Structure formats: structure tokens, C-alpha cells
Amino acid sequence: MTKKQDGVVRAALELLDERGAEGVSVRGVADRLGVRMNTVLWHAKSKARLLELMADAIVSEVSPEGLPEDWRERVHELARRYRRALLSHRDGAVIVAGTHVAEPGTLRFADRMVEALLAGGFGDREAAWTCWSIVYFVLGLAQEEQTADRAHGEALAEALAPGGYPALSRVGDHLGDASFDERFEHGIGLMTRR
């Protein structure tokens, strides 16, 4: 990424943090930088490309340094760092989930994750698919966490009250649990159980 392209992406991320995903636009980035829209498009080519570059910048925040030696702990730590990177930006998970990026930061993260899974004895296909499963799980949980609404639990309890869903009613207290850290650790643990 060139220095000017990096400046465009940084301005877009600032806009994201202030206004959310809906507030990011090429015009908004141009206004923030005090340039014309064509200047932004010269560096990003399109809004879709700008979103890809933003997504890669977010995932690039996942440090590959100081990872544990044990493969399982390495996978868990990479997933934790990925989640933190997504949550460090307003609607960060929405931006990353909406793109299919083959850029250096995203590829470096995926490479480290697959490397750890292979070290854990996963076959090639299983390592690739488990990597995808972890990425999708973390993205989905982070999106839910970023849009969490406490009233959602009340609405769920009301919907289950008539008794038409006995299994869901039985576990209803746990469905509304907003302990995202615990839910995250539980999910990652399930995916690395061997």
C-alpha cells in the first residue's frame, strides 16, 4: 500500500469509528482529507475497493508476534486478537464480513491460523475449513456484540413465554446471556477440541 493510499484508508477508518459503516462514503473520505472525490478514487478505485482496504487494515491489527507455542493456545490467541481487532472499530466486523480480501494483512492472519491448525494434526482440508469456521464464528459473534441490545433478551423471553418452543424455553436463560467473552471462549474451545 502506498503512503497516500494508506492515508485514504486511515481517513476512512476514522470516519467508520465516528459514523459507523453506514456513514462511510468516498465523498466523506474526500471531505475529511480536503480533496476531491477523484483523488480518493485514484487510490481506492471504488467504494468496494475502499471497503476491502479498510477490512485488510483492520485485520492487519492482529499481531503475529509473541504467539504461544502450543497449537491450540496459538489458535485461541489468534482468534482473540482477531476479535479485538474487529471490536476496536465501530462496525469493524460489518466491514470485514462484507468483503473477500486477498491482501497482505488478511492473508498473514489466515496463514498463521492454518499453520497452527496443521501443527495440531489437522489435515489440509480440515485445517482450511476449520480456519473458515473460526473466522465466520468470530465475525458473527463480533457483529452481534457490536449491535447488542439488552431489550433483545426481553423480546426473546416474551416470544418463548407461550410455551410453543419447549427446548428453547428450557435453555432460554442461556440464550439471552450477553457474556460475549464466555460465549467466545466456549465456541473456540469447541472448534479446537480433538
Side-chain angles (χ1 to χ4, degrees):
M1 186 178 306
T2 67
K3 190 172 185 174
K4 289 189 179 191
Q5 190 178 49
D6 183 59
V8 166
V9 172
R10 291 288 147 216
L13 288 172
E14 290 171 6
L15 202 57
L16 174 69
D17 290 338
E18 288 174 16
R19 300 183 187 170
E22 294 295 320
V24 175
S25 67
V26 173
R27 180 178 304 283
V29 173
D31 290 348
R32 176 171 289 277
L33 292 171
V35 299
R36 301 176 89 174
M37 283 180 44
N38 287 346
T39 303
V40 173
L41 291 171
W42 175 261
H43 297 291
K45 307 303 179 212
S46 66
K47 182 176 179 184
R49 180 66 178 139
L50 178 62
L51 294 173
E52 288 175 354
L53 293 170
M54 291 170 65
D56 191 59
I58 291 169
V59 178
S60 291
E61 294 173 13
V62 178
S63 172
E65 304 302 320
L67 292 168
E69 287 295 319
D70 177 73
W71 74 269
R72 185 176 284 112
E73 281 306 310
R74 199 171 344 142
V75 168
H76 289 210
E77 182 58 26
L78 282 165
R80 286 183 198 107
R81 292 178 187 187
Y82 183 55
R83 178 174 170 237
R84 278 194 301 270
L86 296 171
L87 294 175
S88 72
H89 295 279
R90 179 176 171 183
D91 294 338
V94 170
I95 295 297
V96 174
T99 61
H100 300 283
V101 180
E103 296 292 327
T106 303
L107 295 173
R108 181 180 60 239
F109 166 73
D111 188 63
R112 296 296 189 285
M113 182 66 76
V114 170
E115 178 183 60
L117 293 165
L118 291 170
F122 286 70
D124 292 356
R125 179 179 176 191
E126 187 181 17
W129 286 17
T130 302
C131 178
W132 279 125
S133 295
I134 291 169
V135 165
Y136 295 149
F137 166 70
V138 177
L139 280 171
L141 188 64
Q143 282 182 334
E144 184 179 337
E145 188 169 356
Q146 288 182 315
T147 60
D149 179 358
R150 300 293 172 210
H152 173 71
E154 294 168 14
L156 178 61
E158 287 177 24
L160 296 178
Y165 309 97
L168 289 177
S169 294
R170 178 178 171 178
V171 300
D173 290 342
H174 303 291
L175 292 174
D177 183 5
S179 175
F180 288 102
D181 291 340
E182 290 178 77
R183 289 162 58 189
F184 170 81
E185 293 296 334
H186 176 76
I188 293 299
L190 288 176
M191 284 185 266
T192 57
R193 187 180 293 167
R194 291 187 69 75

